[in-house]
């Protein structure tokens, strides 16, 4: 299922070009900064031949673009500078503000375009793909289909 991504991002930290999305089978398990730790584990399992669903993962490059385009890094740093770690309600309040910044800001157009292309590569587009979710129910999954991403634009 290897496909060359349409949009690439130059990572200023390692001075190389990283894709926004990679197939599980193409995850570089030797490059820790490309995907999350969970993504690395999925890559290792897939490459070792374990029977996992075919899928892809959004890379840290996409995350950095998202932060930069929405100016979230500065906003988050500012919010964290105001938290009183001795008061749980202060931590809760700042956490909610940060959460709203993430839920209220748009994904980069390039990422949406690539997500649609990757979803359409599946033979059965009605296949419910599972994305990790850090919701109120940890260790649960949200299921998304191609139609969910068609509605993003």
């Amino acid at each position: 299922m290897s496909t060359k991504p349409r949009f690439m991002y130059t990572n200023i930290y390692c001075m190389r070009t990283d894709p926004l999305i990679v197939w599980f089978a193409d995850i570089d398990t030797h490059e820790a900064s490309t995907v999350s730790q969970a993504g690395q584990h999925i890559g290792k399992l897939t490459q070792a031949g374990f029977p996992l669903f075919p899928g892809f993962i959004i890379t840290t490059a996409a995350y950095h673009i998202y932060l930069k385009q929405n100016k979230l890094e500065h906003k988050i740093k500012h919010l964290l500078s105001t938290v009183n770690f001795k008061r749980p309600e202060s931590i809760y309040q700042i956490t909610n503000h940060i959460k709203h910044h993430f839920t209220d800001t748009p994904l980069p157009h390039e990422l949406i375009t690539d997500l649609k292309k990757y979803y359409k590569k599946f033979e059965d587009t009605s296949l419910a793909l599972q994305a990790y979710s850090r919701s109120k129910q940890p260790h649960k999954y949200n299921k998304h289909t191609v139609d969910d991403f068609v509605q993003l634009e």
Side-chain angles (χ1 to χ4, degrees):
M1 278 194 161
S2 291
T3 355
K4 288 282 184 196
R6 184 185 62 75
F7 182 79
M8 303 290 273
Y9 166 68
T10 302
N11 186 335
I12 61 171
Y13 302 108
C14 60
M15 299 307 288
R16 66 186 189 103
T17 305
D18 293 325
L20 299 181
I21 301 171
V22 292
W23 292 105
F24 293 158
D26 296 335
I27 292 173
D28 183 354
T29 57
H30 302 290
E31 179 58 55
S33 64
T34 305
V35 296
S36 67
Q37 187 176 15
Q40 287 219 339
H41 291 301
I42 291 171
K44 286 178 183 176
L45 290 170
T46 302
Q47 293 165 17
F50 283 87
L52 301 176
F53 284 109
F56 56 83
I57 190 165
I58 296 171
T59 66
T60 55
Y63 175 73
H64 289 294
I65 288 174
Y66 174 76
L67 288 179
K68 186 175 182 173
Q69 283 187 358
N70 291 296
K71 300 179 175 117
L72 290 180
E73 190 172 353
H74 174 72
K75 293 173 185 176
I76 291 169
K77 283 182 181 179
H78 172 72
L79 285 168
L80 290 173
S81 72
T82 65
V83 70
N84 180 346
F85 289 100
K86 294 179 180 177
R87 295 183 49 231
E89 62 274 6
S90 174
I91 297 169
Y92 179 76
Q93 182 180 19
I94 297 303
T95 301
N96 279 333
H97 283 302
I98 292 171
K99 179 181 173 183
H100 286 295
H101 279 303
F102 278 96
T103 58
D104 295 343
T105 54
L107 293 174
H109 176 73
E110 297 86 358
L111 179 58
I112 293 171
T113 301
D114 282 357
L115 280 169
K116 288 179 184 179
K117 286 180 180 179
Y118 274 69
Y119 267 105
K120 290 178 181 177
K121 293 285 181 187
F122 288 95
E123 290 178 20
D124 179 6
T125 57
S126 66
L127 174 67
L129 301 176
Q130 299 181 345
Y132 288 108
S133 171
R134 300 212 181 230
S135 64
K136 294 180 182 175
Q137 300 173 344
H139 309 294
K140 297 287 181 181
Y141 297 97
N142 283 338
K143 293 185 179 186
H144 300 286
T145 62
V146 176
D147 293 334
D148 294 330
F149 285 95
V150 170
Q151 297 172 9
L152 284 175
E153 288 193 307

